[in-house]
Amino acid sequence: MGAQVGVGGERGVLEVGDGVHAYVQPEGGWCLNNAGIISHRGSSALVDTVATEERARELRRAALRVAGRAPRALVNTHFHGDHTYGNFLFPEALTIGHERTRVMVQAAGLHMAGLWPDVCWGDIEVRPPELTFRDRTTLHVGDVRAELIHIGPAAHTTDDTVVWLPDQGVLFTGDLVMNGVTPFCVMGSVAGSLRALERLRGLGATTVVPGHGPVGGPEVFDANEGYLRWVQGLAREGVAAGVSPLELARATDLGPYAELLDTERLLPNLHRGYAEAQGRLPEGSPLDVGALFAEMTAYHGRPLECHA
């Protein structure tokens, strides 16, 4: 249950549908996200960018190889820097996102880069979405129809968008879904993530491009659901026992989830789970991310690894 499912080990530009490619970065841990390239009849678009200037330049080269020209549109699935920091290297593209994505990109700035000061981020220019929507909209890339759907109100974040290509059966989930990588819902909701997964199942995708990790099929929904329900149960037990999330995390056998990358995310996920179990905060209410990163380091026993 905790291992990768789907196309394990494949990386780079993978054709996942007619005119549709996944851009997969190994191994999918902190800040090593996936993107998408859609190209048809002389039009092209991107789904997300990547974290550093160097990696964004490589993504641009890949997009040009696939499409023969620069993308005219760029969709951000949410505000996190690994999905948006490379926006500025695609000046020809109209950048599209949920209305909260624009607000959150502007508010966050380069905060994520500050969490790992030793990473060579490059000369990043923060560029938020220029065209925003509230619930859903449709992007046409040649004859490829891409449905942009806000999945909310809170799941991975509060501004999650998926890109659904119904004719190809391909779903770009952003970080609502991980494959072989620990889910992370500290900025959203455990319960909301479970509701989001149920909604994604209803789309009927045959190919799922997760935010991190290998391309898979709808079985990745089951793997993510299993982990989140486990966290939910742990949080209820921890609240009932009166122990802190850090104490509970240290005493917990990860079982099959020990195989996932970034297992330290259990700690912030438990913090969110505790808040929900106690009814203390509305879903998606901000938690202290800096303090939680310090706790993850303490739990892990070493600094968090980011290979962006």
Side-chain angles (χ1 to χ4, degrees):
M1 183 182 296
Q4 294 178 154
V5 292
V7 191
E10 292 196 72
R11 58 192 64 185
V13 179
L14 309 177
E15 186 172 11
V16 293
D18 184 18
V20 185
H21 293 77
Y23 185 82
V24 179
Q25 294 196 100
E27 295 294 334
W30 289 108
C31 303
L32 289 172
N33 66 298
N34 299 330
I37 305 168
I38 305 171
S39 176
H40 194 256
R41 294 188 180 275
S43 294
S44 68
L46 281 184
V47 179
D48 282 331
T49 55
V50 289
T52 69
E53 180 182 357
E54 181 179 352
R55 288 182 180 275
R57 292 192 184 281
E58 179 54 40
L59 173 61
R60 182 179 176 87
R61 288 190 287 270
L64 289 172
R65 287 195 300 270
V66 168
R69 64 186 66 192
R72 295 168 53 191
L74 191 172
V75 180
N76 288 140
T77 61
H78 62 291
F79 79 92
H80 287 163
D82 50 340
H83 297 258
T84 61
Y85 278 176
N87 287 0
F88 76 101
L89 284 177
F90 297 89
E92 308 91 342
L94 176 67
T95 307
I96 305 166
H98 186 258
E99 59 188 13
R100 279 193 57 79
T101 302
R102 176 177 173 82
V103 172
M104 295 299 288
V105 166
Q106 292 174 315
L110 296 176
H111 177 263
M112 192 185 78
L115 295 172
W116 287 280
D118 294 333
V119 169
C120 182
W121 298 97
D123 295 323
I124 297 167
E125 300 171 22
V126 175
R127 181 185 171 195
E130 301 155 302
L131 178 66
T132 63
F133 66 96
R134 178 164 298 171
D135 297 313
R136 63 188 299 160
T137 191
T138 304
L139 174 67
H140 296 274
V141 185
D143 293 336
V144 177
R145 176 166 53 102
E147 302 289 343
L148 281 52
I149 307 168
H150 173 56
I151 307 291
H156 173 64
T157 64
T158 58
D159 64 300
D160 300 301
T161 291
V162 299
V163 180
W164 167 229
L165 312 181
D167 297 330
Q168 290 76 18
V170 176
L171 178 64
F172 291 91
T173 67
D175 287 358
L176 287 170
V177 175
M178 310 283 194
N179 189 3
V181 183
T182 305
F184 189 59
C185 51
V186 68
M187 297 180 185
S189 165
V190 181
S193 293
L194 288 165
R195 291 194 299 270
L197 287 170
E198 193 60 31
R199 189 172 174 190
L200 297 187
R201 278 195 185 93
L203 295 174
T206 55
T207 301
V208 178
V209 183
H212 296 253
V215 174
E219 68 277 357
V220 298
F221 301 143
D222 298 334
N224 280 254
E225 179 183 357
Y227 175 86
L228 292 165
R229 292 202 183 281
W230 176 68
V231 167
Q232 212 173 41
L234 281 176
R236 293 185 186 120
E237 293 171 9
V239 168
V243 298
S244 72
L246 180 57
E247 291 170 323
L248 179 59
R250 284 175 166 164
T252 295
D253 179 358
L254 298 178
Y257 305 115
E259 302 172 23
L260 298 177
L261 293 180
D262 307 324
T263 54
E264 65 274 5
R265 292 177 181 173
L266 172 62
L267 187 61
N269 290 338
L270 282 175
H271 273 274
R272 178 59 68 184
Y274 270 51
E276 293 176 20
Q278 296 169 322
R280 287 191 288 110
L281 296 169
E283 293 181 0
S285 296
L287 299 178
D288 188 337
V289 173
L292 290 176
F293 265 70
E295 276 201 13
M296 279 191 283
T297 298
Y299 166 73
H300 209 37
R302 63 179 185 273
L304 305 186
E305 295 180 355
C306 175
H307 301 291

